[in-house]
Amino acid sequence: MLPLLVRQSTLFPKTQKTAPSDAESINHKLLVRAGFMDQLMAGSWTLMPLGLRVVGKINQIIREEMNEVGGQELAMPLLHPKSIWNESGRWDTAKEVMYQFKDIHEKEFALSFTHEEIVMDLLRKQITSYRDLPVYVYQFSTKFRNELRAKSGILRGREFMMKDLYSAHTSEEDLMAYYEKVKAAYVKVFTRLGFNFKVTLASGGVFTDKNTHEFQVLSEAGEDTIYFKDGSMEAVNDEVFEGNKDEYISAKSIEVGNIFPLGTWYAEKMGVFFTDQDGVKKPVWFGSYGIGPTRVMGVLVEVNHDDKGIVWPEVVAPFAVHLISLGQNNLNKAEEVAKKLTDLGHEVLWDDRDIAAGAKFADSDLIGIPHRIIISDKTGDSLEYKNRKSGETSLVSFEELLKVI
Ligand code: ATP
Ligand code: MG
């Protein structure tokens, strides 16, 4: 479990007054300035303690919804032998995105950019009969992709986190029924995250010619263009759109999730068969379903910020309360309030630093914790409350504070 109370005097790293000079996107500027992440090289990020807290909360929301549709969490290797990628042919067809290399013995490997082939290898060792199906497994792991344009902050990493779920079935009907269930689970995830998003018909990318569904968050920072009718949850990606564009609303959007009905293509290539009830050997029906939690964190910042900083939605905020004590004479009082809050299970970042009030408020706005409490010589027995999103302030008692948070 995460520590409930963190003293800002000990928090690594400090905030920065200005954004890195190469930062082009809002998420890059704000997440680096506020101390949530750091760039090692283009497309490669350290998640700092604050950033890891946020991603952990995003992951927990995803995990709950994956478990709800029967998903079982596992962890697969990230270092893969060339041979497994040759079986599907993707060693060659996906060369541009895969990091491929030789070790000192001239043996060839790739770093994971996705896991279909690895799951297929698991299935062919474990599945013999229709009784062994369906299978629903998922993981959270690092994916490596040689992205050409790694310029949009954490939206496009060369190394990033993905939740990938895989399902295997005895029939197309069973696959498609589960596909719809996962689609509904994704709608729940992105609704819980507070996104304004569309379930978008799209092409299969490197996977297949069959249509897939992307979950696209409306944002000017997006690289995709989608079309939808007013009020509709559904949209069509520009890449597969057919018809009269004048009848639709068009918008820029960012893909946060993608689900793929993959059919029997992989099973046939890699020899994953089961014996059905009728005694006949058949290939398994397969689907894969991805969400990028680190991209999700970036998108949350793109759509939840103002000119002062980030405005985290409560469900993923690194802390619920930002407690700010002014004056070293108020430290004891602040510690008491912090203790009472954490005893009730609330997560508190306590700014106990001996610095100017203005600097504390600026950092607080930048970091973007939803509820701010100030304890100073002026507040007496009350607490000064400020809501990060609405900017509203009020003097409250501890009991009144508990009702708000
Ligand atoms: P894009 O079209 O944006 O390059 P993709 O279609 O190649 O993404 P998928 O293979 O569908 O990506 O991956 C599933 C999810 O993983 C995406 O919906 C996204 O949330 C996330 N993702 C993909 N590529 C990246 C990346 N380079 N950095 C961060 N997250 C990513
Ligand atoms: Mg995609």
Side-chain angles (χ1 to χ4, degrees):
M1 217 178 69
L2 299 168
L4 290 177
L5 176 63
V6 173
R7 288 169 189 247
Q8 209 165 334
S9 58
T10 68
L11 182 64
F12 180 77
K14 284 189 285 227
T15 58
Q16 294 170 21
K17 284 216 165 53
T18 52
S21 57
D22 63 335
E24 294 176 13
S25 59
I26 287 167
N27 76 87
H28 185 166
K29 290 178 188 160
L30 289 179
L31 285 168
V32 170
R33 278 191 57 210
F36 286 72
M37 63 184 200
D38 177 76
Q39 190 179 49
L40 176 64
M41 58 178 178
S44 149
W45 300 93
T46 295
L47 290 179
M48 296 295 202
L50 285 175
L52 189 60
R53 269 180 102 100
V54 172
V55 171
K57 289 180 180 198
I58 294 166
N59 287 354
Q60 188 51 28
I61 290 174
I62 298 170
R63 182 176 283 119
E64 284 167 21
E65 299 303 338
M66 293 303 99
N67 292 345
E68 193 67 25
V69 292
Q72 297 180 9
E73 192 170 352
L74 47 57
M76 290 179 269
L78 308 186
L79 182 63
H80 303 162
K82 176 180 182 178
S83 55
I84 199 124
W85 289 96
N86 269 340
E87 290 190 49
S88 65
R90 288 211 281 178
W91 181 268
D92 293 319
T93 59
K95 240 183 172 56
E96 278 172 14
V97 293
M98 272 170 105
Y99 284 101
Q100 304 179 338
F101 58 95
K102 282 188 189 141
D103 71 3
I104 55 165
H105 311 294
E106 297 288 302
K107 244 186 108 126
E108 290 184 280
F109 297 91
L111 294 177
S112 149
F113 83 106
T114 183
H115 272 87
E116 281 79 9
E117 282 78 351
I118 314 305
V119 177
M120 281 293 147
D121 182 64
L122 283 176
L123 291 172
R124 70 184 164 195
K125 289 182 229 162
Q126 309 293 341
I127 304 296
T128 48
S129 142
Y130 68 94
R131 289 192 194 86
D132 304 327
L133 292 164
V135 170
Y136 315 124
V137 288
Y138 72 96
Q139 64 175 351
F140 290 88
S141 76
T142 300
K143 297 283 185 278
F144 300 86
R145 293 187 185 180
N146 201 345
E147 299 276 4
L148 283 181
R149 297 158 299 145
K151 280 191 177 160
S152 19
I154 203 160
L155 300 185
R156 189 170 293 288
R158 294 203 166 104
E159 179 178 341
F160 59 95
M161 193 177 290
M162 196 196 286
K163 181 287 303 173
D164 37 338
L165 166 72
Y166 301 88
S167 73
H169 308 260
T170 56
S171 67
E172 181 170 14
E173 297 71 56
D174 201 53
L175 166 64
M176 292 317 293
Y178 190 70
Y179 183 82
E180 290 303 321
K181 261 177 107 166
V182 177
K183 195 194 280 176
Y186 272 39
V187 168
K188 279 199 205 159
V189 167
F190 297 123
T191 303
R192 286 176 68 179
L193 291 168
F195 281 143
N196 179 12
F197 68 97
K198 303 286 176 197
V199 183
T200 305
L201 198 67
S203 72
V206 295
F207 294 99
T208 167
D209 285 339
K210 209 177 154 107
N211 281 335
T212 71
H213 288 91
E214 294 171 343
F215 294 76
Q216 294 273 1
V217 174
L218 302 190
S219 164
E220 274 307 313
E223 294 176 359
D224 285 351
T225 303
I226 59 170
Y227 295 88
F228 53 90
K229 294 250 165 124
D230 199 12
S232 173
M233 261 284 279
E234 279 158 30
V236 181
N237 195 309
D238 192 39
E239 62 188 18
V240 296
F241 186 89
E242 286 169 7
N244 183 357
K245 287 182 175 169
D246 295 340
E247 293 170 9
Y248 290 79
I249 299 169
S250 77
K252 287 268 169 224
S253 61
I254 310 171
E255 178 193 321
V256 285
N258 203 174
I259 56 177
F260 303 87
L262 298 169
T264 57
W265 192 87
Y266 284 92
E268 279 163 28
K269 289 259 180 212
M270 294 188 61
V272 189
F273 293 90
F274 68 98
T275 307
D276 209 349
Q277 267 166 304
D278 54 14
V280 178
K281 269 197 157 188
K282 298 173 185 170
V284 301
W285 290 79
F286 192 49
S288 75
Y289 317 83
I291 297 180
T294 43
R295 177 179 290 184
V296 164
M297 175 169 78
V299 180
L300 283 165
V301 173
E302 294 289 337
V303 301
N304 299 291
H305 69 271
D306 60 20
D307 55 353
K308 296 199 187 85
I310 306 168
V311 185
W312 291 110
E314 301 207 17
V315 286
V316 297
F319 296 89
V321 176
H322 200 173
L323 178 65
I324 297 179
S325 52
L326 300 181
Q328 297 309 92
N329 55 316
N330 286 308
L331 284 178
N332 285 343
K333 202 168 143 194
E335 185 159 18
E336 237 173 78
V337 172
K339 177 130 193 354
K340 281 205 279 180
L341 283 169
T342 53
D343 281 351
L344 293 166
H346 298 293
E347 294 169 303
V348 179
L349 177 64
W350 172 22
D351 193 346
D352 59 338
R353 297 173 299 171
D354 190 11
I355 61 168
K360 291 194 176 194
F361 298 151
D363 273 355
S364 180
D365 284 335
L366 180 61
I367 293 170
I369 294 167
H371 306 287
R372 179 195 298 178
I373 293 294
I374 301 162
I375 292 177
S376 71
D377 291 340
K378 283 191 282 182
T379 51
D381 286 336
S382 311
L383 307 164
E384 190 182 324
Y385 172 82
K386 184 172 186 187
N387 187 283
R388 176 65 184 90
K389 192 170 180 185
S390 67
E392 281 166 40
T393 57
S394 54
L395 273 183
V396 297
S397 66
F398 187 78
E399 284 65 36
E400 284 166 335
L401 170 66
L402 291 183
K403 284 187 202 138
V404 185
I405 60 177

